Amino acid sequence: LEEAAFQLQQIFRIDISIALNILGVESMRAGHSRVAFTCFKLAADRGYSKGQFNVGLCYEHGRGTEKDLEKAGFYYCQAASSCHPMAQYRYARLLLQHSPGNDWDRHHKAVTLLEQAAVAGITEAQAYLGVFYLRGLQPQEKRGVKYLLLAANSGDAQSRYHVGVCYEQGLGVQQNLAEALRHYRQSAAAGNRQARERLQA
């Protein structure tokens, strides 16, 4: 009986959190960012990962509250620990962009989170990792192309352009100008200005 009561409490807690988060989303759409932030915060404080992610977004962009990257990171971290893929991506970006250059632990944690988000299908994480591996301090070109192709195949025109560059210059793949042209054309057709300029050149 105690177990059943506990399960009911958990269900009730989750339902309230979902409702608060939905109310927050609707409030944000209606332009009531302060109300939205309050709803997200209540859902987040109940341990709901979508609420935690939305609080992180509010703090990162200063919507409904003061902009605070440290607090954004805190809430992204909470959501990421519940395997929220977009939170993993955004937390990893904060770690890479706002951490000391020599902090290896934070760097390693960020890359791990990016890879988890990329595997979960987050196109932004795939694109970020692709460029990261191509241009990092210790480039891993084949790995970079792999992630760029994942992002390109998810419709990211910028990643498609980068794949074209890889084929043109032989980065992580065998140099192949016909393949480079194919990727540039696809990227240009999707509206990428750099790809159009490359084709004209």
Side-chain angles (χ1 to χ4, degrees):
L1 192 61
E2 280 180 23
E3 178 64 24
F6 176 74
Q7 292 296 334
L8 278 172
Q9 282 179 327
Q10 292 297 99
I11 290 166
F12 181 70
R13 227 177 109 232
I14 290 167
D15 284 348
I16 290 288
S17 300
I18 292 169
L20 284 165
N21 193 62
I22 291 169
L23 189 59
V25 170
E26 293 304 315
S27 297
M28 192 63 83
R29 283 189 186 137
H32 306 299
S33 57
R34 285 193 184 280
V35 173
F37 174 75
T38 301
C39 293
F40 293 146
K41 184 84 165 56
L42 288 167
D45 291 345
R46 291 170 164 270
Y48 187 52
S49 64
K50 288 184 180 179
Q52 292 163 343
F53 172 71
N54 286 326
V55 171
L57 282 176
C58 288
Y59 276 123
E60 185 178 1
H61 300 289
R63 292 187 194 141
T65 187
E66 291 289 313
K67 187 173 181 175
D68 188 326
L69 293 181
E70 197 170 316
K71 286 182 180 174
F74 173 78
Y75 282 98
Y76 285 150
C77 179
Q78 285 192 321
S81 67
S82 297
C83 298
H84 188 293
M86 201 63 187
Q88 291 170 329
Y89 164 67
R90 296 197 83 90
Y91 182 47
R93 281 193 60 176
L94 281 179
L95 286 175
L96 288 172
Q97 293 171 355
H98 302 284
S99 66
N102 59 357
D103 193 337
W104 172 249
D105 287 340
R106 284 170 69 110
H107 178 87
H108 181 70
K109 182 177 184 176
V111 172
T112 301
L113 287 168
L114 281 171
E115 288 184 341
Q116 289 170 352
V119 167
I122 302 298
T123 305
E124 295 92 330
Q126 295 164 347
Y128 195 97
L129 268 178
V131 173
F132 177 82
Y133 280 128
L134 280 173
R135 298 182 181 164
L137 294 173
Q138 298 173 320
Q140 299 177 46
E141 293 169 351
K142 284 185 180 178
R143 215 168 183 178
V145 172
K146 176 187 121 178
Y147 283 111
L148 286 173
L149 274 169
L150 283 172
N153 292 336
S154 296
D156 184 45
Q158 185 66 26
S159 292
R160 180 73 64 192
Y161 164 76
H162 286 304
V163 171
V165 171
C166 289
Y167 274 105
E168 184 180 0
Q169 298 178 3
L171 299 171
V173 288
Q174 191 166 352
Q175 191 175 27
N176 185 328
L177 295 182
E179 197 60 12
L181 278 171
R182 185 174 75 82
H183 287 288
Y184 287 147
R185 285 190 187 113
Q186 287 180 7
S187 180
N192 186 277
R193 182 182 52 80
Q194 288 174 294
R196 283 198 301 269
E197 290 170 359
R198 200 81 202 99
L199 283 168
Q200 288 168 357

